[in-house]
Each structure stands twice: as structure tokens, then as C-alpha cells.
């Protein structure tokens, strides 16, 4: 009884401290007085207000008065059944009041969920803004980076002012307005982050990256281009791009000073792309020169090899044992020969033209040269793929016989291993059934072997298919026998290990009976039963030990 009253007192204390009243005040401000709130939300708040008043003023105060009587009136302190039942009822009613208040609190949270989300978002954005302000302060202290500090300070001040407005809108329950303010503020923060990054990136690109790139291109033109006309043309181009860079640099620096992100970013991207593209073109020409000078002879050899492979493939088709498909393959292969001949003509024309250009030191358009090479080498690659696909399955009588013999010898080796395993572990089991199956498979294998070595046996397409199916069946049977033998051996070895381990518990109750039963099952080759019995007994003895 006393415990019931103590629990009731603690429950009453929690009810007094509940947050429902605070939440109601918040809802009254954000919903009832808010023109943006729906009529359904306003009715819900009014209902909660009435419910809360009834729960506290009627139900809760009633139980508090009952609880107070216990401390004031001696007759309620007597340890009888009536007082015990009374104390339990007070405790139950107070817990029910707590439960109703908790449910009401959670229902209120559903309306305030938007506010919670927006408050969490604002906190996260504020943390990001604090880090940005630190970064901005570092940029202002860096004398090497030139920009208008007043503009940056005003930018950050405007963002901070917007954050304060967002707080006010959330406080007033104007979630739609606060969301619009937050989206616009996020855009400004993202723009500020990009601006601060661009200040540092632009300084590096303008003072180091692009000047170094221009210097490298000039050096490359001077050292690698020997044709005077080509060299002069590229020198004029890079000088034009350098002048363009110097002009763009001054424009970009003015935009950076005014923190004009859009203009600075566009100008920087354009000049960087222009010079990088020119550098790429120069490098491309040099790479193509090196490729052509080193690989033209190899491509010549590739065409000769392709011709030889085609002739050999055609011979293989004509001598192939698959008579029913030989004619179709031959026609398809001859079509490839026509394509190969056309490619050979195009290659010869290309090679002669390039040789003339090299002799007379004429300027070569390497972009066109690359396209012409691709137009020749890509079809050549496809020709090779088709030749491989057509000739992949071709076999003559000798190759088919060798493949069948290899498969049979492989299976015969496994069957011999099966017999050796049976002999090696004969102390474990007689392996009567397994040995019999092994002998049956061996007889089938020898029958196939005798069949293929008959003088009148021809490897037609149909016979190759039959022999292949027979070998597949023999392989499945051979592996099955091997697995059976391995399972018998593994189960026996596991059973032996467990019996030996069980001997550690020789002084335990019923050990002799368990041990004798295990040996009896072992002698009868009931290895699965032995393993199950040993695991069960060992676990039991281990538990008894603990």
C-alpha cells in the first residue's frame, strides 16, 4: 500500500511538470492567432485546451485530494484491503492521466512538425554561415587577394539580417514566409561560398596556371615544330591568345574586386578553355606524328597478317568435318575476303599519300588523318572479329579425336583416384557400393574409348554430339562417386575426432554407456548418428563443467 502511494506521488509530480500547457501556449500563438493556419488546426487547439482543463481541474485534482487524505487522515493509513484497493486505484488513475497528457502532447507535435524541421534547418544553416564568416575573415586578412572588403561585409550582414527575419517568421508561426526567406538566403549563402572559392582559384589560375601553360606551349612550338610555315602560324596564334589572356585578366580582376561572381567566372572559364584547347591541339598533333612514324609499318604488317589468317581460315572451313554447315560458312567467309580486299586498297592509297607528304614536307592535317585511319582500322577490327566467330567452332577429325581422348583420360584419372581412396581408407569402410559404382562408370568409359578407336569410326557432326553427351553423363557419374567416397571418409574422420574428444569426460555420469553406444554405431558405419550423439554429449558435459 505504501509503495502505491509513493508511486502515485512520483506520478503526480511528473504530471505537474508536464509540457502540455507550454505547448498549448505555443499553439495558441502560432495557430489560433495566425491567419495562415487552417480552420481544422484552430479547432484542434480549442479542443485540446478544453481537454487539458478537464483533465487537470477535474481528474487530476480529484486524485490529488485522495492522495492528500492518506497523509492527513489516519484511517486511510491502516493496512487493510479497502485502503490497499484505494491506493492502487489512485495510482492507476494518475497513470491514465499521464498517458492522456502524453497522447495529447504527441498530437500537438504533429502540427508543430513543420516548425521543428525549419528550426533544425535554420540551425544547420547558421553553423555553415559561421564557418563561412571565418573563411571570409581570413580572406580579408590575406593581402595577396584583392577585393572590396566593404561589399563582402555588407553581403554577410544582409544574410545575417535575413536569418533574423527567418527566426521571427518561425516564432510567429508563418512557416510559408519563413520557407521562402530560407530558400532565398540559401541561394545567397551558396553564391557567397562560390565567390570565396573563386577568389582563391582565380588568383592561382591567373598568376600561375595560365602563364605557365602559355610558356610551355611557346617552348613546345619552338622546340618541336620544324616546318617554318607551321611554326610561324602557331606562334602567331599563341601570341594572340596571350594578348587575349592579358585583357581578360584585367577584366576578371575588376569583377573579383567588385565580387561580381557571374562575370568573373564566365571570363575565367572562357580564357582557360581557349588556351587549354589550343594546347590540346598542339599536343594532339605531336602525338599523331609519333604514332604515324612508329606504327605505319606495323599496320602494314597487320594487313599482311590478316590476309594470311583469312587464307588459313578458308582452308579450315573447306576441310572441316561439319559438312552440313561448311557451304554456308564458306560463302560468309568469302564475303569477309571481299571486305578485306577493299580495306587493303584504301590502306595502300592512304600510305602512299602520307609518304608523298613526308617526302615533300607538306603540312599534314592530323585531324583528317586520324579520321581516315579510324575509317580503315575500325572495319579491319570488325573483320577480325567475324573471322574468329566463324572459325571458332571448326574442327577436323584429328582435333576432335584428341579432345575426346583428353576428356576420357581426365575422367579415367578421377576413377583411379576414387579406387585409391577406397584402398587407402579401407579401415574406415569397405566401400562396397561406392566401388561397384566406380567399376560401372569405368566400364562405360572403356566402351566409349573402344568405339572412337574403331577403324571405320568417322567424326561426323552427329557423332560428335552423341559422344559429347556420353562424356557429359560419364563426368556427372564420376564426380558423384567421388563425392560419395569423400563424404564417407570425412564423416568417419569427424566421428573419430569427436569420440577421442569425448574421452576427456571419462569421469562423468553415463560416460561408459555413451561411449559404448558411439563405438557400436561407428562399427555399424552409422557415422551421422555418431556425430550427432557426440556433439550432444560433449555440449551436455561442458555445461555440467561450468
Amino acid at each position: 500500500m505504501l509503495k502505491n502511494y509513493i508511486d502515485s506521488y512520483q506520478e503526480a509530480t511528473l504530471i505537474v511538470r508536464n509540457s502540455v500547457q507550454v505547448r498549448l501556449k505555443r499553439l495558441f500563438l502560432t495557430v489560433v492567432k495566425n491567419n495562415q493556419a487552417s480552420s481544422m488546426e484552430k479547432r484542434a487547439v480549442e479542443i485540446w485546451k478544453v481537454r487539458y482543463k478537464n483533465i487537470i481541474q477535474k481528474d487530476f485534482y480529484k486524485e490529488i485530494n485522495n492522495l492528500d487524505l492518506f497523509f492527513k487522515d489516519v484511517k486511510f493509513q491502516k493496512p487493510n484491503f479497502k485502503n490497499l484497493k484505494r491506493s492502487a486505484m489512485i495510482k492507476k488513475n494518475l497513470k491514465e492521466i499521464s498517458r492522456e497528457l502524453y497522447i495529447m502532447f504527441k498530437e500537438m507535435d504533429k502540427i508543430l512538425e513543420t516548425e521543428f524541421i525549419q528550426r533544425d534547418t535554420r540551425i544547420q544553416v547558421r553553423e555553415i554561415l559561421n564557418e563561412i564568416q571565418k573563411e571570409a575573415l581570413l580572406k580579408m586578412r590575406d593581402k595577396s587577394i584583392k577585393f572590396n572588403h566593404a561589399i563582402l561585409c555588407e553581403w554577410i550582414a544582409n544574410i545575417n539580417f535575413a536569418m533574423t527575419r527567418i527566426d521571427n517568421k518561425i516564432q510567429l508561426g508563418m512557416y510559408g514566409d519563413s520557407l521562402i526567406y530560407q530558400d532565398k538566403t540559401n541561394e545567397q549563402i551558396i553564391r557567397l561560398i562560390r565567390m570565396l572559392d573563386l577568389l582563391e582559384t582565380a588568383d592561382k589560375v591567373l598568376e600561375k596556371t595560365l602563364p605557365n601553360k602559355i610558356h610551355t606551349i611557346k617552348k613546345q612550338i619552338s622546340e618541336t615544330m620544324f616546318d617554318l610555315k607551321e611554326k610561324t602560324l602557331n606562334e602567331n596564334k599563341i601570341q594572340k591568345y596571350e594578348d587575349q589572356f592579358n585583357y581578360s585578366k584585367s577584366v576578371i580582376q575588376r569583377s573579383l574586386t567588385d565580387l561580381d561572381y557571374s562575370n568573373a567566372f564566365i571570363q575565367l572559364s572562357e580564357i582557360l578553355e581557349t588556351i587549354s584547347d589550343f594546347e590540346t591541339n598542339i599536343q594532339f598533333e605531336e602525338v599523331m606524328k609519333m604514332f604515324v612514324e612508329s606504327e605505319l609499318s606495323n599496320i602494314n604488317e597487320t594487313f599482311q597478317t590478316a590476309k594470311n589468317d583469312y587464307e588459313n581460315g578458308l582452308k579450315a572451313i573447306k576441310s572441316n568435318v561439319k559438312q552440313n554447315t561448311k557451304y554456308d560458312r564458306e560463302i560468309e567467309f568469302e564475303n569477309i575476303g571481299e571486305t578485306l580486299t577493299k580495306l587493303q586498297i584504301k590502306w595502300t592509297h592512304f600510305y602512299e599519300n602520307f609518304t608523298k607528304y613526308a617526302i615533300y614536307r607538306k603540312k599534314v592535317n592530323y585531324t583528317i588523318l586520324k579520321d581516315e585511319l579510324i575509317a580503315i582500322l575500325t572495319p579491319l577490327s570488325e573483320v577480325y572479329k567475324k573471322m574468329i566467330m566463324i572459325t571458332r567452332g571448326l574442327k577436323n577429325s584429328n582435333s576432335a579425336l584428341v579432345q575426346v581422348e583428353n576428356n576420357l583420360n581426365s575422367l579415367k584419372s578421377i576413377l583411379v583416384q576414387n579406387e585409391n581412396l577406397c584402398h587407402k581408407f579401407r579401415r574406415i569402410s569397405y566401400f562396397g557400393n561406392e566401388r561397384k559404382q566406380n567399376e560401372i562408370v569405368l566400364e562405360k568409359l572403356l566402351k566409349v574409348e573402344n568405339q572412337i578407336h574403331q577403324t571405320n569410326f568417322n567424326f561426323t557432326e552427329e557423332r560428335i554430339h552423341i559422344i559429347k553427351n556420353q562424356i557429359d553423363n560419364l563426368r556427372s557419374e564420376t564426380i558423384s562417386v567421388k563425392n560419395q567416397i569423400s563424404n564417407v571418409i570425412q564423416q568417419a574422420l569427424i566421428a573419430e575426432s569427436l569420440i577421442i574428444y569425448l574421452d576427456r569426460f571419462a569421469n562423468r555420469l553415463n560416460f561408459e554407456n555413451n561411449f559404448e553406444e558411439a563405438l557400436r554405431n561407428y562399427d555399424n558405419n552409422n557415422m551421422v548418428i555418431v556425430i550427432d550423439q557426440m556433439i550432444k554429449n560433449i555440449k551436455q558435459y561442458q555445461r555440467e563443467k561450468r
Side-chain angles (χ1 to χ4, degrees):
M1 185 176 72
L2 181 60
K3 184 177 184 305
N4 284 339
Y5 279 117
I6 292 172
D7 291 345
S8 298
Y9 175 78
Q10 291 175 343
E11 196 68 47
T13 304
L14 292 175
I15 293 172
V16 170
R17 294 175 180 173
N18 79 85
S19 301
V20 174
Q21 190 172 6
V22 176
R23 186 68 89 233
L24 274 172
K25 291 179 180 178
R26 178 68 189 143
L27 285 169
F28 186 75
L29 178 65
T30 60
V31 176
V32 177
K33 289 191 172 183
N34 185 0
N35 294 328
Q36 295 181 356
S38 67
S39 58
M40 186 180 295
E41 290 176 341
K42 291 180 179 180
R43 282 198 300 271
V45 174
E46 292 296 338
I47 292 170
W48 288 328
K49 184 179 178 181
V50 174
R51 277 178 60 193
Y52 180 73
K53 184 178 180 180
N54 289 336
I55 289 172
I56 296 300
Q57 292 185 358
K58 293 182 180 179
D59 301 338
F60 180 62
Y61 285 170
K62 176 184 174 183
E63 300 306 328
I64 288 297
N65 291 332
N66 290 334
L67 185 62
D68 189 49
L69 287 174
F70 169 76
F71 296 100
K72 291 181 178 180
D73 196 332
V74 177
K75 72 177 183 180
F76 292 110
Q77 298 176 6
K78 292 179 180 181
N80 54 44
F81 179 75
K82 183 179 179 180
N83 285 337
L84 177 63
K85 189 176 179 181
R86 181 177 181 276
S87 67
M89 185 58 66
I90 293 171
K91 176 181 175 181
K92 177 185 175 184
N93 291 340
L94 286 172
K95 284 189 173 294
E96 182 62 26
I97 291 170
S98 284
R99 191 181 72 82
E100 286 190 36
L101 291 175
Y102 176 77
I103 293 172
M104 191 185 303
F105 186 83
K106 286 299 180 182
E107 288 174 351
M108 294 175 183
D109 274 357
K110 291 179 182 178
I111 291 182
L112 292 173
E113 186 176 0
T114 302
E115 177 177 337
F116 297 150
I117 293 172
Q118 290 198 14
R119 285 189 183 279
D120 290 343
T121 302
R122 189 199 59 77
I123 291 170
Q124 293 173 1
V125 172
R126 168 55 66 185
E127 291 175 352
I128 294 171
L129 183 59
N130 290 340
E131 293 300 319
I132 295 172
Q133 289 179 144
K134 293 177 184 177
E135 181 68 21
L137 186 60
L138 292 175
K139 289 285 191 295
M140 286 190 285
R141 290 175 178 173
D142 190 344
K143 302 300 182 184
S144 63
I145 302 177
K146 309 295 183 182
F147 64 93
N148 192 322
H149 293 186
I151 296 176
L152 180 59
C153 291
E154 183 182 357
W155 195 344
I156 295 173
N158 289 337
I159 293 175
N160 279 313
F161 177 73
M163 295 291 289
T164 303
R165 292 293 301 274
I166 292 168
D167 286 341
N168 294 337
K169 295 294 182 182
I170 294 175
Q171 189 68 29
L172 295 172
M174 301 173 70
Y175 305 128
D177 291 349
S178 66
L179 185 60
I180 294 172
Y181 272 66
Q182 189 67 72
D183 289 342
K184 291 183 178 180
T185 305
N186 289 346
E187 291 176 5
Q188 286 300 312
I189 291 174
I190 292 170
R191 193 174 181 81
L192 178 57
I193 292 172
R194 290 174 177 171
M195 187 69 251
L196 293 175
D197 288 342
L198 186 61
L199 286 172
E200 190 170 339
T201 303
D203 182 68
K204 182 179 178 181
V205 171
L206 295 175
E207 300 300 332
K208 294 181 181 179
T209 305
L210 285 179
N212 291 342
K213 198 179 284 287
I214 291 170
H215 175 74
T216 302
I217 294 172
K218 285 182 173 181
K219 185 178 179 183
Q220 188 174 358
I221 292 171
S222 174
E223 294 178 356
T224 62
M225 293 187 180
F226 301 105
D227 183 79
L228 183 60
K229 186 178 179 181
E230 180 184 11
K231 185 175 183 179
T232 304
L233 178 64
N234 284 310
E235 284 176 343
N236 291 336
K237 282 184 179 180
I238 190 59
Q239 185 59 51
K240 173 187 171 185
Y241 292 141
E242 186 175 16
D243 294 340
Q244 184 180 341
F245 163 69
N246 291 328
Y247 172 76
S248 297
K249 180 178 178 181
S250 61
V251 174
I252 293 167
Q253 287 175 337
R254 283 196 301 271
S255 297
L256 291 174
T257 300
D258 297 335
L259 298 184
D260 184 352
Y261 172 79
S262 297
N263 190 51
F265 180 78
I266 292 171
Q267 291 285 338
L268 185 65
S269 299
E270 287 179 354
I271 190 62
L272 184 60
E273 183 180 359
T274 299
I275 295 176
S276 296
D277 286 348
F278 182 68
E279 181 185 36
T280 302
N281 291 334
I282 295 292
Q283 291 174 346
F284 168 75
E285 290 191 2
E286 291 304 311
V287 169
M288 283 300 300
K289 281 181 185 178
M290 293 172 58
F291 172 80
V292 170
E293 290 171 0
S294 61
E295 297 298 328
L296 281 189
S297 58
N298 293 335
I299 296 174
N300 235 357
E301 293 176 6
T302 300
F303 269 97
Q304 186 58 45
T305 303
K307 183 180 178 182
N308 294 336
D309 290 344
Y310 169 75
E311 292 172 354
N312 292 333
L314 195 59
K315 289 178 183 177
I317 289 173
K318 290 180 178 180
S319 64
N320 183 47
V321 297
K322 299 181 180 181
Q323 298 295 329
N324 59 329
T325 60
K326 184 177 80 170
Y327 181 73
D328 292 339
R329 289 179 181 272
E330 189 173 345
I331 293 175
E332 190 176 359
F333 211 73
E334 286 175 350
N335 290 335
I336 290 177
E338 294 177 5
T339 304
L340 188 60
T341 302
K342 292 177 181 178
L343 290 175
Q344 177 71 60
I345 293 171
K346 286 179 70 175
W347 167 251
T348 303
H349 179 70
F350 172 88
Y351 186 76
E352 289 174 352
N353 283 343
F354 181 80
T355 304
K356 289 178 182 177
Y357 274 95
I359 292 173
Y360 297 107
R361 299 182 67 84
K362 292 184 177 180
K363 177 172 174 54
V364 177
N365 188 325
Y366 285 97
T367 301
I368 296 175
L369 182 140
K370 179 196 73 171
D371 293 339
E372 290 178 353
L373 268 178
I374 290 174
I376 295 171
L377 297 181
T378 301
L380 180 62
S381 173
E382 293 299 320
V383 164
Y384 256 112
K385 287 179 183 178
K386 287 182 180 178
M387 284 197 293
I388 292 170
M389 288 176 62
I390 294 172
T391 59
R392 181 178 291 159
L394 299 182
K395 295 177 182 174
N396 55 37
S397 298
N398 289 334
S399 64
L401 176 61
V402 169
Q403 185 174 349
V404 171
E405 286 179 336
N406 288 340
N407 290 332
L408 291 174
N409 288 334
S410 175
L411 295 179
K412 198 184 297 181
S413 174
I414 296 174
L415 292 170
V416 171
Q417 291 175 20
N418 291 346
E419 181 62 32
N420 289 339
L421 282 173
C422 292
H423 180 75
K424 181 179 179 180
F425 291 95
R426 59 187 180 279
R427 67 174 180 80
I428 290 176
S429 173
Y430 177 64
F431 295 104
N433 184 48
E434 290 79 9
R435 277 183 162 171
K436 186 176 179 179
Q437 291 182 40
N438 206 56
E439 290 172 358
I440 292 173
V441 176
L442 182 60
E443 288 178 5
K444 293 180 181 178
L445 187 149
L446 294 174
K447 184 178 178 181
V448 174
E449 194 173 49
N450 292 332
Q451 181 184 358
I452 64 173
H453 287 118
Q454 291 176 359
T455 54
N456 61 345
F457 186 84
N458 292 322
F459 276 91
T460 63
E461 176 73 15
E462 182 180 358
R463 285 190 172 181
I464 288 176
H465 182 71
I466 294 171
I467 294 295
K468 182 178 180 299
N469 288 338
Q470 289 177 330
I471 291 175
D472 288 342
N473 293 334
L474 287 171
R475 183 178 291 106
S476 299
E477 294 177 26
T478 303
I479 297 301
S480 176
V481 174
K482 181 180 178 181
N483 290 337
Q484 290 177 36
I485 295 170
S486 298
N487 288 339
V488 170
I489 294 170
Q490 289 174 6
Q491 289 175 2
L493 293 176
I494 292 172
E496 289 177 359
S497 300
L498 289 172
I499 291 172
I500 293 170
Y501 188 83
L502 184 71
D503 193 52
R504 297 183 180 188
F505 307 98
N507 60 343
R508 300 300 176 86
L509 186 66
N510 292 329
F511 172 80
E512 292 296 333
N513 293 336
N514 292 332
F515 193 77
E516 289 176 4
E517 184 181 357
L519 291 179
R520 190 163 53 251
N521 286 322
Y522 180 86
D523 292 338
N524 292 330
N525 287 327
N526 296 326
M527 301 304 173
V528 175
I529 296 176
V530 173
I531 292 170
D532 291 342
Q533 179 196 350
M534 290 296 94
I535 291 174
K536 180 180 177 181
N537 292 337
I538 289 170
K539 286 183 176 179
Q540 180 183 347
Y541 290 145
Q542 287 175 335
R543 284 196 297 269
E544 291 174 359
K545 184 178 180 181
R546 290 196 292 267

